[in-house]
Amino acid sequence: MADSHAHAAHAHDDHDHKPHGWRRWVFATNHKDIGTMYLILSGTMFFIGGLAAMGIRAELFSPGLQFFDPQFFNSLTTMHGLIMIFGAIMPAFVGLANWMIPMQVGAPDMALPRLNNFSFWILPFAFTLLIGSFFVPGGAPAGGWTMYPPLVVQTGAALPMLVFAVHLMGMSSILGAINIIVTIMNMRAPGMTLLRMPLFVWSWLITAYLLIAVMPVLAGAVTMLLTDHFFGTSFFTAAGGGDPVMFQHIFWFFGHPEVYIMILPAFGIVSEIIPTFSRKPLFGYEAMVYAIASIAFLSFIVWAHHMFTVGMPLAAQLFFMLSTMLIAVPTGVKVFNWVATMWKGSLSFEPPMLFALAFVFLFTIGGFSGLMLAMVPADYQYQDTYFVVAHFHYVLVTGALFSIMAAVYYWLPKWTGHMYSLRLGTWHFWLSTIFVNVLFFPQHFLGLAGMPRRIPDYAVQFTDWNRVSSIGAFGFGLSQLLLLYLIIQCVRGGARIGNRAWEGAHGLEWELSSPPPFHSWTEAPSDAMVARGAAH
Amino acid sequence: MTIRKTLARFALLAVAGVLSLPAWAESGWAQLNLPQGVTDMSRKIYSLHMLVFWICVGIGVVVFGVMIWSLIAFRKSRGAIADTTLVHNTGVEVVWTVIPVIILIVMAVPAARTLVELEDSSKTSLTIKITGFQWGWQYDYLDDGVMYFSHLDRASDAARELGSGIDPNTVPFYLWNVDHPLVVPNGVKVRLLITGADVIHSWWVKDLGVKKDAIPGFINEAWFKVDDGWTGMLRGNCAELCGRDHGFMPIVVDVRSKKDFESWLKSTAAGEKPATPAAPAATSAAAPAAATAPAPAASSG
Amino acid sequence: MTDAHAPDSGQYYVPHHSPWPIFGSVTLFTVMLGAIVYLNDWLGLWALIPGALLLATLFFLWFSTVIDENQRGIYNLQVDRSFRMGMMWFIFSEVMFFAAFFGALFYARVLSVPWLGGAGTKMFTNYVLWPHFDGTWPSNGPGHVGGRADASFNVMNPFGIPALNTLILLTSGFTVTMAHHALRSARRTPLAVWLALTFLLGFTFVGFQAYEYGEAYREMGLRLTTGIYGSTFFMLTGFHGLHVSIGAIMLTVIWLRVLRGHFTPQRHFAFEAVSWYWHFVDVVWLGLFVFVYWL
Ligand code: HEA
Ligand code: HEA
Ligand code: CUA
Ligand SMILES: [Cu+2]
């Protein structure tokens, strides 16, 4: 285990001209510095988005209105969704990509370092606009993160802020994705063939393609909202020959791939961690790659499963139902491969592994409810209820977010050179996992019993399960303070570790010192190192 | 190690809380699952839902079973040695691709069948146009010249204000009651023409198995046929975010016998005040406890 | 600043801290703040000026740095490849942006307008809500939105200016290819001439487009507000025109660089990037000509 490496001292003095002070961050071109900034931004946004969620859960603790005007409640929901998706989850994955991909493929840095910094620095401004919209006349956007017209066009002065914030986030994602693709395709060390790449790299490569394909479409969709409101176009009004539902088609053409953008890197992370702590190579490496690619492909032809109730023709509903169901097959392949990786392994349960295991269990539960949602007639009953809310929090919180936590626990020793307190990490895991289920599992019941989503107040028969859910929410939220504490403690100091923080870890990042040198691979890694890393 | 103790105590409390939940949530199983509803279609949807649910449970048991077994049997702490040659097996990979496909087909067939039936809105004998607006519903009996609006009822409306000081538990059918319910006959196939006046709403009554978006400028069709002989109140909500009072535009459907319906229609068309809530609402006002009972049962008979 | 130390060109060049990214973010923020206060009627159109100035400065300074680094030969072939791949994927993202608007056009033509006219399952939509609407394209919708005083409007004759513009763009695609050939065989004069022709054609295109817009607005009742037809027409051709303008400006910059003796027959990434961009603009136009003007 980690401690056994603690003596492996490594006085690596980086004599690179590392800039100091604020310039190091503001003018950064280093992939690790930029990665760190992404992760810090993500953490901040997670706390802000989480605070909004706490507001939601507090209002929903009891029937009747206790704290917020309904309009403000809708703003909370909308901003919670937008901030969590665009502010917490996506930047976290990009931050991990920044940190890990150059190290994992044997590159000195990202291919386009200045562009990299640009991608990052767009984001704080985007969120300034988005969060700033709380303070303008008419209040923050309150039409849901899905921004459906005509409702969203009733937004006050915040409408252009919302649209431009989305433009900025899109720009950042596109530039970031371009950089990642180019890094992977052009910066691999000699010998690092495509099919030797770690799965995290593979998953990001495919995710980056998805991003480039769909973020511009979202930009187009919100541009149409803007022109409909300010310049008199008729994209989404029937009187002019448009259709409000057209927005939904364009939005979900982005939106569904978007949810896979938030889960494919998670698959990659879990595929790194499970083999490490099973001390056994990943089962079915190639099948895993093909599965990711199939999921990405299918994600483009399932979008209308979010719109079964809008009155589409029967044939369209059937098509989207069947294509959606198909996604269960490659996703199943992934789940089965993870299980097979553990089979006849030699398992140990450090925090990264615990989170990865919880991911497999709980994401699968979220996948099952997704499958139920895909049955059109049944979706007529589930759509826009808390059943959907339960579904997507299982895939997003216990899926995407848990994978990010697993990744942080996995690579934090590499980043800092210190081992964190495993005991504290284990506590954080159990508290999070218990509370998150208390938080989201009852929402299945609420949804089935008929509680719609996006409401600040409810019929009294929903009281009990809402209380349970709220208690879970507060517990889950407070548990995250442990994580914060643990990270700060680990950055500050702790037992030194050697290159290979975990006994079973494979991959080029573990060939570098901990913490790694400022420029990762100024000399390309040796063939032996590449081969050792790619032992699958 | 005080932090540890505090945490332990906290966790214990949490576990105790979770364990006591079922008892606390006394409202019973009706609060956990989809209702079967009062139409053929709603029951078909219910069985589809249960079919898919049990299939997922089945898959879950198998997958999680294998996983838990691995977690127990192959622990390093119990001396398990990794078999690092086990990295690939075309046989099992084909099997675990094909079996899910078969399972999916098993689910898709009844789903498609039910869907085709649901979308067949021909041969209806009564047509009602429903218009969602911010925030209420307009009901228009197209062939009979009856039209009226339906809003959240007064009692709920008073109680729902911030700081109203009224306990929602004392309001009968809090947020699930309206001034003028939609009145329909049982045993008749009713066609709904659904549209929106301003933004998108969605007309949803789960016991009818109907949810259809009300889209401004377009009309969506839906239909239902309540079981012959069933009368009572059905309750639902607007199911698409439609602005500030989206949470406060409930739907109440008053199902009557054909005869009662006809006479109601006639008298309403003749200019009497439309659709006063039927007697049962008054009964439940007298007994607020009834408010927690499942809606359809509340006033049947 | 960016030239803190230049590794030999055998190594992948990693710039050491650069001020341009943050400058770029502040610029974008300023542009958008300007647009926000303008759209919300808090300030006049002049609110856009600071952003525009910053944007021009940004492009000038950032590209100067890169061109300078390039001229000093610190980019090796691998860096060159990175730039190429980057540009290709950037163009792909632009394609997807246009795809959204083409999607809107197809949706309107194939689905929403016929539906409003009662096609498919939307019989009642027409019968109850829009009883006198026939749902044929071109359309400004059942509410007859915009257009002339009587809500009528005309569509552009595809075989007037649009056909001419097609010819212009196709020719410019040819001239830029000729310029490329000249560059590769190190014939500088033809290179400069072909390139000049290309951007002149580009600006001519934009000029014709502007003229056409003027006519549409003044005489044909065809405006951005003319229902879904006007919306799709102007958003598609407008964004395209914007891209042509950007492309033509970039071509001009490349031309100036050619005059200064930049680029070698082997190494001329910027030239190629801009010519790819130009071809992309060309292809989008073909789509526009066929689906917006012609069919
Ligand atoms: C990370 C994000 C993520 C992921 C991965 C998924 C995955 C899936 N989602 Fe989900 N979804 C969301 C995020 C996500 N979703 C969000 C955010 C929304 C709501 C948006 C909004 O309205 O605000 C949503 C909404 C949503 C809807 C619309 C609901 C509605 O509004 O009415 C539907 C309907 O089909 C759906 C389906 C699915 C399916 C079929 C999958 C599949 O990919 C799941 C596949 C996985 C499995 C099935 C489990 C593992 C497989 C096996 C063990 C193999 C064997 C299994 C079988 C043969 C069954 N999702
Ligand atoms: C990817 C992202 C993601 C994540 C991580 C989360 C996390 C959480 N979500 Fe989120 N949620 C969405 C994405 C996400 N959600 C989306 C897309 C929607 C749909 C929006 C829409 O309808 O438009 C939604 C909607 C949504 C709803 C429905 C709202 C409605 O319909 O009106 C609810 C209600 O319970 C909810 C709850 C929560 C909770 C309690 C958490 C928790 O996991 C959050 C926990 C985190 C913290 C609490 C922050 C850290 C801790 C502190 C700051 C310490 C202080 C803590 C306390 C004081 C307790 N979410
Ligand atoms: Cu009407 Cu929600
Ligand atoms: Cu989806």
Side-chain angles (χ1 to χ4, degrees):
Chain A
M1 261 219 347
D3 319 60
S4 58
H5 290 274
H7 62 276
H10 52 286
H12 182 92
D13 61 328
D14 37 334
H15 44 81
D16 321 81
H17 308 272
K18 182 151 85 182
H20 291 282
W22 61 273
R23 280 197 184 80
R24 170 174 175 193
W25 304 102
V26 174
F27 295 163
T29 49
N30 180 278
H31 73 99
K32 302 195 191 72
D33 287 352
I34 295 173
T36 304
M37 291 195 291
Y38 265 113
L39 289 172
I40 292 172
L41 176 81
S42 156
T44 314
M45 288 300 148
F46 174 63
F47 275 65
I48 296 177
L51 232 46
M54 295 301 112
I56 294 171
R57 288 308 335 163
E59 179 60 64
L60 292 177
F61 191 77
S62 301
L65 292 177
Q66 287 79 38
F67 305 109
F68 308 125
D69 180 81
Q71 183 73 12
F72 185 77
F73 180 92
N74 292 345
S75 292
L76 280 183
T77 296
T78 306
M79 297 298 266
H80 163 71
L82 286 169
I83 290 176
M84 282 300 193
I85 286 178
F86 291 103
I89 302 294
M90 293 172 70
F93 282 134
V94 182
L96 292 169
N98 254 297
W99 256 100
M100 302 318 299
I101 289 177
M103 295 209 282
Q104 290 188 320
V105 302
D109 205 299
M110 294 293 279
L112 305 162
R114 278 179 291 228
L115 194 67
N116 199 13
N117 195 27
F118 191 31
S119 315
F120 169 75
W121 275 108
I122 289 175
L123 285 180
F125 293 99
F127 290 107
T128 307
L129 279 185
L130 192 65
I131 296 171
S133 69
F134 269 114
F135 306 102
V136 298
W145 84 279
T146 47
M147 303 179 279
Y148 285 2
L151 180 63
V152 76
V153 187
Q154 296 181 348
T155 309
L159 181 65
M161 301 175 82
L162 170 69
V163 169
F164 293 140
V166 171
H167 280 152
L168 287 178
M169 297 184 293
M171 238 180 267
S172 160
S173 293
I174 291 166
L175 299 180
I178 290 176
N179 216 336
I180 287 168
I181 292 180
V182 176
T183 305
I184 297 173
M185 298 312 283
N186 193 34
M187 304 290 283
R188 274 171 291 133
M192 177 58 76
T193 57
L194 284 178
L195 281 178
R196 269 182 164 181
M197 295 194 312
L199 263 167
F200 179 64
V201 179
W202 257 115
S203 66
W204 243 116
L205 178 64
I206 292 168
T207 303
Y209 289 128
L210 287 183
L211 276 170
I212 298 186
V214 301
M215 293 309 294
V217 175
L218 174 66
V222 295
T223 305
M224 293 179 216
L225 289 179
L226 194 76
T227 58
D228 264 16
H229 187 57
F230 289 103
F231 300 102
T233 56
S234 306
F235 288 107
F236 310 131
T237 39
D243 183 352
V245 173
M246 186 208 296
F247 176 86
Q248 302 185 16
H249 281 287
I250 306 176
F251 179 87
W252 288 115
F253 181 84
F254 145 81
H256 188 83
E258 167 69 15
V259 307
Y260 289 113
I261 286 166
M262 293 187 284
I263 207 69
L264 294 185
F267 289 168
I269 290 165
V270 170
S271 304
E272 303 278 303
I273 292 174
I274 289 184
T276 296
F277 296 95
S278 304
R279 293 168 181 76
K280 187 168 158 280
L282 185 67
F283 190 91
Y285 172 90
E286 285 188 34
M288 289 298 239
V289 173
Y290 296 136
I292 296 180
S294 331
I295 294 172
F297 168 75
L298 287 172
S299 76
F300 284 108
I301 53 165
V302 301
W303 75 85
H305 65 218
H306 296 274
M307 313 163 46
F308 284 141
T309 58
V310 301
M312 282 184 293
L314 175 64
Q317 300 195 52
L318 281 173
F319 171 80
F320 285 109
M321 172 172 89
L322 297 175
S323 59
T324 302
M325 293 172 71
L326 264 187
I327 298 191
V329 176
T331 315
V333 166
K334 302 205 71 81
V335 172
F336 301 140
N337 276 320
W338 289 323
V339 177
T341 305
M342 290 185 271
W343 188 259
K344 294 202 176 168
S346 169
L347 309 186
S348 60
F349 301 97
E350 288 82 352
M353 181 64 161
L354 289 174
F355 274 99
L357 290 173
F359 172 96
V360 180
F361 274 107
L362 300 175
F363 167 79
T364 302
I365 291 180
F368 287 155
S369 57
L371 206 74
M372 296 173 74
L373 289 164
M375 307 287 113
V376 185
D379 182 69
Y380 285 173
Q381 298 285 40
Y382 309 142
Q383 193 265 346
D384 250 288
T385 68
Y386 263 78
F387 191 79
V388 178
V389 177
H391 157 66
F392 67 70
H393 282 96
Y394 265 86
V395 284
L396 280 170
V397 177
T398 57
L401 182 65
F402 266 36
S403 84
I404 291 165
M405 290 182 181
V408 168
Y409 278 117
Y410 188 50
W411 283 310
L412 194 59
K414 169 57 59 184
W415 300 335
T416 60
H418 305 136
M419 185 47 81
Y420 48 82
S421 156
L422 292 178
R423 176 176 297 150
L424 209 56
T426 309
W427 267 106
H428 171 237
F429 167 77
W430 283 110
L431 287 174
S432 295
T433 304
I434 292 169
F435 279 123
V436 85
N437 283 292
V438 177
L439 162 55
F440 293 120
F441 207 81
Q443 295 186 357
H444 290 112
F445 307 146
L446 285 170
L448 293 176
M451 177 169 164
R453 61 192 281 207
R454 295 165 167 173
I455 55 172
D457 191 3
Y458 46 80
V460 291
Q461 42 274 77
F462 300 133
T463 310
D464 294 337
W465 289 120
N466 269 304
R467 290 245 154 106
V468 175
S469 180
S470 291
I471 291 171
F474 303 142
F476 181 72
L478 287 174
S479 311
Q480 302 322 309
L481 294 176
L482 266 186
L483 176 66
L484 186 68
Y485 172 75
L486 180 144
I487 292 175
I488 293 173
Q489 203 188 33
C490 179
V491 172
R492 287 254 185 93
R496 304 290 285 172
I497 51 141
N499 292 1
R500 206 172 293 274
W502 312 104
E503 177 190 45
H506 285 278
L508 282 179
E509 75 265 37
W510 306 108
E511 307 285 343
L512 289 167
S513 59
S514 310
F518 193 60
H519 291 293
S520 300
W521 293 99
T522 32
E523 306 271 308
S526 69
D527 278 353
M529 280 184 189
V530 174
R532 192 160 57 215
H536 52 251
Chain B
M1 286 286 102
T2 48
I3 180 163
R4 201 181 148 205
K5 256 190 206 147
T6 325
L7 282 175
R9 212 169 288 149
F10 196 43
L12 216 76
L13 260 172
V15 172
V18 176
L19 290 181
S20 63
L21 289 182
W24 182 27
E26 11 103 47
S27 16
W29 287 101
Q31 291 301 304
L32 301 181
N33 203 354
L34 218 69
Q36 304 218 19
V38 296
T39 70
D40 242 13
M41 292 322 297
S42 72
R43 276 187 298 270
K44 280 189 180 154
I45 294 176
Y46 174 82
S47 21
L48 181 65
H49 157 75
M50 290 316 286
L51 171 76
V52 185
F53 172 70
W54 285 116
I55 289 180
C56 286
V57 169
I59 300 172
V61 167
V62 173
V63 176
F64 296 156
V66 176
M67 216 170 127
I68 290 169
W69 171 258
S70 313
L71 297 187
I72 294 167
F74 307 119
R75 306 174 79 100
K76 184 170 180 245
S77 56
R78 292 178 68 203
I81 312 260
D83 175 1
T84 52
T85 60
L86 192 67
V87 292
H88 181 65
N89 183 327
T90 312
V92 297
E93 288 179 62
V94 168
V95 168
W96 70 42
T97 311
V98 171
I99 292 183
V101 173
I102 296 172
I103 297 176
L104 290 178
I105 294 171
V106 170
M107 291 165 26
V109 170
R113 279 224 186 95
T114 312
L115 180 61
V116 171
E117 253 181 279
L118 269 169
E119 291 293 299
D120 175 15
S121 55
S122 60
K123 302 204 198 80
T124 48
S125 37
L126 172 68
T127 301
I128 304 171
K129 182 179 165 222
I130 300 180
T131 310
F133 59 89
Q134 284 172 321
W135 288 272
W137 301 95
Q138 179 191 352
Y139 298 118
D140 193 345
Y141 295 73
L142 284 183
D143 308 320
D144 309 280
V146 170
M147 190 280 281
Y148 57 93
F149 295 92
S150 172
H151 294 97
L152 182 67
D153 72 314
R154 287 260 187 85
S156 296
D157 203 31
R160 63 122 171 173
E161 293 299 332
L162 252 179
S164 68
I166 305 173
D167 179 0
N169 288 296
T170 62
V171 179
F173 293 105
Y174 177 62
L175 296 190
W176 256 356
N177 210 359
V178 296
D179 49 4
H180 305 301
L182 175 68
V183 182
V184 297
N186 61 24
V188 167
K189 191 168 176 183
V190 180
R191 181 195 346 240
L192 306 175
L193 303 181
I194 302 173
T195 186
D198 30 44
V199 302
I200 303 178
H201 305 261
S202 189
W203 198 85
W204 176 38
V205 176
K206 61 185 187 301
D207 291 297
L208 296 175
V210 172
K211 180 186 289 152
K212 228 9 158 218
D213 290 1
I215 296 166
F218 289 84
I219 284 187
N220 278 327
E221 288 178 52
W223 65 271
F224 62 82
K225 185 176 165 200
V226 178
D227 296 341
D228 226 345
W230 195 95
T231 59
M233 297 292 211
L234 301 172
R235 291 164 206 277
N237 305 74
C238 174
E240 182 63 57
L241 179 57
C242 54
R244 186 175 180 275
D245 284 354
H246 160 61
F248 308 96
M249 53 183 291
I251 296 158
V252 179
V253 181
D254 179 355
V255 184
R256 303 188 182 185
S257 69
K258 262 168 274 189
K259 214 172 92 242
D260 287 358
F261 172 75
E262 291 299 340
S263 63
W264 169 84
L265 197 62
K266 239 184 240 122
S267 61
T268 316
E272 277 172 40
K273 234 181 151 298
T276 21
T283 343
S284 55
T292 47
S299 54
S300 51
Chain C
M1 193 159 277
T2 33
D3 56 353
H5 73 182
D8 69 278
S9 57
Q11 251 193 357
Y12 195 91
Y13 173 64
V14 177
H16 285 242
H17 60 294
S18 161
W20 307 136
I22 183 78
F23 184 29
S25 313
V26 173
T27 301
L28 288 179
F29 189 59
T30 314
V31 170
M32 290 180 167
L33 274 186
I36 289 163
V37 297
Y38 165 65
L39 288 174
N40 280 331
D41 271 337
W42 293 334
L43 292 176
L45 203 52
W46 59 266
L48 293 169
I49 294 175
L53 290 180
L54 279 177
L55 202 61
T57 320
L58 168 75
F59 279 121
F60 184 77
L61 293 176
W62 193 334
F63 282 123
S64 299
T65 306
V66 176
I67 292 169
D68 179 57
E69 284 171 0
N70 191 0
Q71 290 307 111
R72 283 188 292 129
I74 54 182
Y75 294 164
N76 63 10
L77 279 174
Q78 199 185 2
V79 176
D80 197 65
R81 208 156 50 232
S82 290
F83 285 160
R84 278 156 200 282
M85 290 181 171
M87 188 67 192
M88 269 157 48
W89 289 109
F90 173 70
I91 290 176
F92 177 65
S93 77
E94 292 265 47
V95 170
M96 292 310 293
F97 182 75
F98 276 98
F101 289 90
F102 272 108
L105 173 68
F106 295 141
Y107 186 93
R109 290 186 64 160
V110 179
L111 298 173
S112 72
V113 170
W115 276 343
L116 291 164
T121 51
K122 295 290 197 280
M123 183 179 78
F124 283 101
T125 298
N126 183 259
Y127 182 71
V128 178
L129 297 178
W130 312 105
H132 302 294
F133 183 63
D134 62 1
T136 49
W137 189 262
S139 167
N140 56 350
H144 304 291
V145 175
R148 300 194 186 93
D150 64 348
S152 71
F153 71 101
N154 292 109
V155 300
M156 208 62 76
N157 172 17
F159 296 105
I161 290 181
L164 187 62
N165 263 346
T166 309
L167 204 66
I168 290 176
L169 270 198
L170 287 178
T171 314
S172 75
F174 171 74
T175 54
V176 79
T177 309
M178 289 311 287
H180 195 194
H181 281 305
L183 174 54
R184 273 209 294 226
S185 48
R187 290 175 290 128
R188 308 288 304 190
T189 317
L191 163 62
V193 173
W194 284 118
L195 201 53
L197 268 177
T198 311
F199 69 71
L200 287 177
L201 285 167
F203 286 122
T204 315
F205 174 96
V206 177
F208 275 131
Q209 184 96 341
Y211 173 79
E212 189 192 70
Y213 274 18
E215 204 159 65
Y217 260 74
R218 268 179 284 107
E219 278 145 43
M220 303 169 66
L222 178 54
R223 312 202 173 105
L224 187 58
T225 48
T226 308
I228 190 68
Y229 189 88
S231 308
T232 50
F233 178 87
F234 281 102
M235 292 299 276
L236 275 163
T237 57
F239 271 118
H240 176 262
L242 184 70
H243 282 74
V244 176
S245 310
I246 295 170
I249 293 172
M250 294 198 301
L251 283 167
T252 313
V253 173
I254 296 293
W255 182 68
L256 292 172
R257 289 184 64 191
V258 166
L259 295 188
R260 286 221 194 155
H262 290 191
F263 307 125
T264 67
Q266 292 77 36
R267 297 285 300 273
H268 45 258
F269 158 72
F271 179 96
E272 278 183 283
V274 174
S275 76
W276 292 338
Y277 195 81
W278 196 249
H279 288 306
F280 144 71
V281 165
D282 209 353
V283 170
V284 172
W285 174 259
L286 290 181
L288 287 180
F289 182 70
V290 173
F291 294 111
V292 175
Y293 289 96
W294 186 11
L295 295 182

